[in-house]
Amino acid sequence: MQEAQQQKPVIFSGIQPTGVPHLGNYIGAWRNWKLLEDDYRCLYCLVDLHSLTIRQDPAELRRSTMQAYALLLAVGLDPTKSLLFVQSHVPAHAELAWILSCYTYMGELSRMVQFKEKSAKHDENINAGLFTYPVLQAADILLYQAALVPVGADQKQHLELTRDVAERFNKVYGDVFVIPEHRIPKVGARIMSLSDPTSKMSKSDPEETYISLLDRPDVIRRKIKRAVTDSEGEIRYDEENKPGVSNLLSILAVLTGRSIEACVDSLAGQGYGALKEATAEAVITTLSPVQAQFDALIQDKERLMQLMDEGAQGAARLAARTLAKVYKKIGLLPRG
């Protein structure tokens, strides 16, 4: 069993543990992660070190990390099939990030769109970690020789940098790193804000703009009822001219397993109220079992910590192999 798992291609993905993950995280990432467990050697990481580019309340960061880990299990990820771990529990991430920073150019980092956007949003704290964030992200991926990385379109630039750095390192030292490919889901990859359907749903935005995975039915109905649509009153999919309606149709389609055309047909002759009600019911039906499982898991902190530790140990063993190879190639003495 373990040997068969080792022969599978490695897939790596990470998510920051700050705040409660939202519906966009579930549709664009977490739901798909579960579907990959049988075909890949999956590593799913809570990247808590990345969250430090913004000042965090220590107690809240610890709470949200525990909560996010419980949610990973609640959505159905199997710790016997996937490695689920916390980034800071595996020091090799930070160690490889330093080495890779010596093979990454300032010009490359200054072109990162996310750095420019976050600098504008947090202009009082434009720190070096925010600038070198993509190097740590590259270390996350390359440390485990990941062949595939499920990313949203907004992260594709960071993955391209990871590939460039890996190829540069390999050109000097031989085939040290696997060059990762990106894997962008075709359906439901981008779920948009409820108040601004031209922007991606984000947990860093005001709470009414996104649906948290822990929002209860009355909250979900209220948020979707207030979702921005338009004044036309016609239910049709048109991202450019009807982004709000199109966003609700996307959510409804992906959660019910129907095509967007079938969803439109089922609502023919009805108004936006019917679309919002159908979408809310689909979200509630999807999230209710996840929330029930989460409620049970979060009560057993000792069990969660044990699973975290087991995941970190498994990840650390894999990471140590790559790090030892890198150290040897660049001339660092091994420990006695």
Side-chain angles (χ1 to χ4, degrees):
M1 175 79 173
Q2 188 174 10
E3 185 177 345
Q5 188 75 354
Q6 289 177 352
Q7 292 173 352
K8 294 177 180 178
V10 174
I11 195 163
F12 176 93
S13 194
I15 186 170
Q16 289 197 30
T18 48
V20 179
H22 56 67
L23 187 65
N25 299 135
Y26 176 78
I27 291 175
W30 291 23
R31 195 179 72 117
N32 298 306
W33 288 1
K34 174 65 179 171
L35 302 176
L36 299 170
E37 284 185 322
D38 291 330
D39 298 321
Y40 297 92
R41 190 176 195 188
C42 299
L43 289 88
Y44 299 129
C45 179
L46 292 174
V47 288
D48 54 343
L49 294 176
H50 285 292
S51 69
L52 300 180
T53 59
I54 298 171
R55 295 287 181 268
Q56 302 292 338
D57 175 80
E60 176 59 24
L61 180 58
R62 285 189 287 270
R63 187 194 67 81
S64 62
T65 302
M66 184 74 75
Q67 194 174 60
Y69 195 87
L71 273 169
L72 284 175
L73 296 170
V75 299
L77 291 178
D78 185 346
T80 67
K81 292 183 177 180
S82 299
L83 276 176
L84 312 177
F85 63 102
V86 177
Q87 182 187 32
S88 62
H89 292 178
V90 185
H93 286 257
E95 294 179 59
L96 183 59
W98 166 250
I99 292 171
L100 294 182
S101 70
C102 299
Y103 295 83
T104 306
Y105 301 138
M106 296 282 286
E108 292 174 317
L109 294 174
S110 66
R111 288 192 291 272
M112 295 293 106
V113 173
Q114 199 169 74
F115 170 71
K116 296 174 184 177
E117 291 176 347
K118 288 193 174 184
S119 296
K121 188 177 285 189
H122 303 282
D123 59 356
E124 78 292 346
N125 183 28
I126 304 175
N127 54 73
L130 187 62
F131 188 69
T132 59
Y133 178 107
V135 183
L136 178 56
Q137 196 171 49
D140 297 337
I141 296 164
L142 299 178
L143 198 54
Y144 300 104
Q145 306 294 352
L148 286 171
V149 183
V151 294
D154 59 331
Q155 288 292 322
K156 188 177 177 182
Q157 187 186 33
H158 284 181
L159 187 60
E160 289 302 324
L161 177 66
T162 298
R163 288 171 52 86
D164 290 343
V165 172
E167 288 170 350
R168 183 175 301 140
F169 195 94
N170 285 355
K171 188 174 181 180
V172 177
Y173 299 109
D175 293 331
V176 178
F177 297 121
V178 170
I179 308 300
E181 299 287 343
H182 69 274
R183 186 180 190 276
I184 299 178
K186 294 181 180 179
V187 180
R190 282 177 66 85
I191 299 301
M192 313 307 281
S193 165
L194 297 177
S195 63
D196 178 11
T198 62
S199 299
K200 189 176 177 183
M201 186 176 283
S202 171
K203 59 186 175 183
S204 62
D205 290 337
E207 190 177 335
E208 289 298 309
T209 70
Y210 65 87
I211 296 170
S212 157
L213 294 191
L214 295 180
D215 280 344
R216 303 300 161 162
D218 59 329
V219 176
I220 292 170
R221 287 195 178 92
R222 186 190 75 236
K223 287 183 177 180
I224 292 182
K225 187 176 182 179
R226 294 177 179 175
V228 169
T229 49
D230 54 55
S231 58
E232 285 186 13
E234 180 188 0
I235 299 175
R236 74 173 192 276
Y237 190 85
D238 182 344
E239 283 187 346
E240 183 176 348
N241 298 305
K242 300 173 74 67
V245 172
S246 299
N247 188 39
L248 293 176
L249 284 169
S250 292
I251 294 170
L252 178 60
V254 75
L255 294 184
T256 58
R258 294 183 291 166
S259 67
I260 287 177
E261 292 76 13
C263 291
V264 171
D265 289 344
S266 70
L267 294 163
Q270 302 181 65
Y272 292 159
L275 169 61
K276 290 180 176 181
E277 181 59 29
T279 304
E281 286 303 317
V283 174
I284 291 166
T285 299
T286 298
L287 295 187
S288 291
V290 172
Q291 292 170 0
Q293 184 68 8
F294 170 83
D295 291 343
L297 287 164
I298 203 65
Q299 299 302 317
D300 192 350
K301 298 288 198 303
E302 188 175 339
R303 176 60 177 157
L304 286 176
M305 290 299 293
Q306 180 186 346
L307 289 172
M308 272 188 200
D309 190 50
E310 290 172 0
Q313 288 181 39
R317 284 192 291 271
L318 294 177
R321 298 174 195 167
T322 297
L323 199 60
K325 188 174 184 180
V326 168
Y327 276 25
K328 182 177 180 181
K329 289 287 186 179
I330 63 177
L332 299 180
L333 284 172
R335 292 178 63 181

